[in-house]
Each structure stands twice: as structure tokens, then as C-alpha cells.
Amino acid sequence: LLRHAPKTFWTVGLVQFFCWAAFLYMWTYTPGAIADTVWGTTDTETEAYQTAGNWVGVLFAVQAVGSVLWAIVIPRFKNHKVIYALSLLLGAVGFISTLFITDKFVLFISFLLVGCAWAAMLALPFTILTNSISGKNMGTYLGLFNGTICVPQICAAALGGVILSLLGGRQVSMLVLAGIFLVVGAICVSFVKETYPEVQDETVRE
């Protein structure tokens, strides 16, 4: 099945690789990053660091709200690729902006934008993929496609410590890297070609 998988399976999978690696770094490094940029501490034993960690929970809730709101917007775009790339670019702005923001409330804007990328990641890859495959093996392909979610996170986790060291040890650098990954993912969306086998089959029958 993988040998005969439609090209869309692999091109969307490439986008997925950068997206899920980015979010793995968000989940891993946001507490340390926010403690550094907003509370001015990297000492995990301080009360300020613990306060920052609690605030990250609030930021993730804001991201969820942004995701829900953006999920209402996504269906209004008929071109899946356009809204997919736009969503990832908005998320990239959100991630990269954390390097410059020192106010905990202004970070709400950053994570609302990150929520845009999250909404697109949950909906559009599977929509594009299911449009490109026939019903016969759809369930199997969707199961195999889950590999494009776990494999990137495994790779990102394995390399995270090395990358952090190369970037100077500041955890906010990993959020900037996450933003760069989303930019690359948005570029990779251009490689995706949506196909509709049911329509093609009907044309052949005619």
C-alpha cells in the first residue's frame, strides 16, 4: 500500500513532519522559554519559574480558544492549500514573537496565532488525504498516515537536546525554531496536489 500510495500521502506527510516537530518543541520548551523571557529566570527551583509554568497552562488554554475560533474560519476557504499555508504562517508568527514579548498578557496574541496552526493541522491534512484516495483502502491509509504524527515527534525529541545546545541553551530559541519549522511546512504545502479519485473514476466511466 505504501508503494502505491498517492503522491498526496507523501507530500502532506512532509508538511506534517515540520508541523508536529514544531509542536513537540512547544510542549517541551514553552515553560522554560516563558520563565526566561517574561519572569527573567531559568532556575527551576524558584517561585517565579513555577508561576511561569502555571501561566503556560493559561497560554495553552488561549491556544485552544484560538483553535476553535479559527476552525470556524477554515471552511470559508474553498482552496485547502491556501488556508493550510496561511494557518501555518500565522502559527509561525505566534511562535517567533515569543522571543520579543516580555508581557505575559501580550503572549495571548502569540498563542491565539499558534491556535490557528493547530486548527489547520487537525483538520486539513486528513481532509486533503481522504479526497485523494478511494474508499477501498481509506481506513488503512489513514492508519498509516498517523505515522506522520508520531515519527516527527520522535525525531524532534531525539534531537532536541543537541539542537538546544547548538542554539546556546535558551529555550525560547526552540520556539523560534518551531516557528521556522512552520514556515518550512507552509512552503511544503505548495508541493501538495489535491486529487479526487471518485471524480476521476466517474470521468473514466463516461
Side-chain angles (χ1 to χ4, degrees):
L1 284 174
L2 285 176
R3 286 200 302 270
H4 296 92
K7 185 178 179 181
T8 305
F9 182 97
W10 300 108
T11 52
V12 177
L14 179 63
V15 179
Q16 289 272 85
F17 183 90
F18 292 104
C19 292
W20 285 98
F23 273 80
L24 186 281
Y25 287 151
M26 182 195 78
W27 295 321
T28 305
Y29 296 105
T30 297
I34 300 308
D36 179 13
T37 57
V38 178
W39 275 267
T41 183
T42 57
D43 185 352
T44 59
E45 300 299 322
T46 62
E47 182 178 350
Y49 195 98
Q50 301 306 315
T51 301
N54 293 335
W55 192 251
V56 168
V58 175
L59 294 176
F60 284 175
V62 169
Q63 175 207 323
V65 171
S67 177
V68 171
L69 295 175
W70 194 246
I72 299 172
V73 176
I74 289 176
R76 299 180 182 273
F77 284 76
K78 293 183 179 180
N79 190 315
H80 292 146
K81 291 174 60 175
V82 169
I83 189 59
Y84 196 3
L86 174 61
S87 301
L88 297 184
L89 290 174
L90 290 174
V93 172
F95 277 132
I96 295 172
S97 67
T98 59
L99 177 64
F100 308 101
I101 295 174
T102 57
D103 185 291
K104 65 180 183 179
F105 292 106
V106 178
L107 283 172
F108 285 175
I109 298 173
S110 300
F111 280 82
L112 283 172
L113 293 175
V114 170
C116 295
W118 182 245
M121 285 169 54
L122 294 183
L124 292 171
F126 286 93
T127 298
I128 295 172
L129 179 63
T130 53
N131 285 341
S132 70
I133 55 181
S134 64
K136 181 179 179 182
N137 296 308
M138 183 177 293
T140 305
Y141 275 124
L142 291 177
L144 292 170
F145 193 66
N146 284 324
T148 67
I149 295 176
C150 61
V151 171
Q153 295 183 75
I154 293 171
C155 294
L159 297 173
V162 175
I163 295 174
L164 177 62
S165 177
L166 292 174
L167 293 178
R170 288 195 72 192
Q171 295 191 40
V172 70
S173 299
M174 300 300 282
L175 297 188
V176 174
L177 179 61
I180 294 172
F181 279 177
L182 289 188
V183 171
V184 176
I187 294 172
C188 290
V189 171
S190 64
F191 302 143
V192 176
K193 182 178 181 181
E194 286 194 84
T195 57
Y196 299 87
E198 293 82 1
V199 176
Q200 295 169 1
D201 292 344
E202 185 65 28
T203 302
V204 171
R205 285 195 294 272
E206 291 178 355

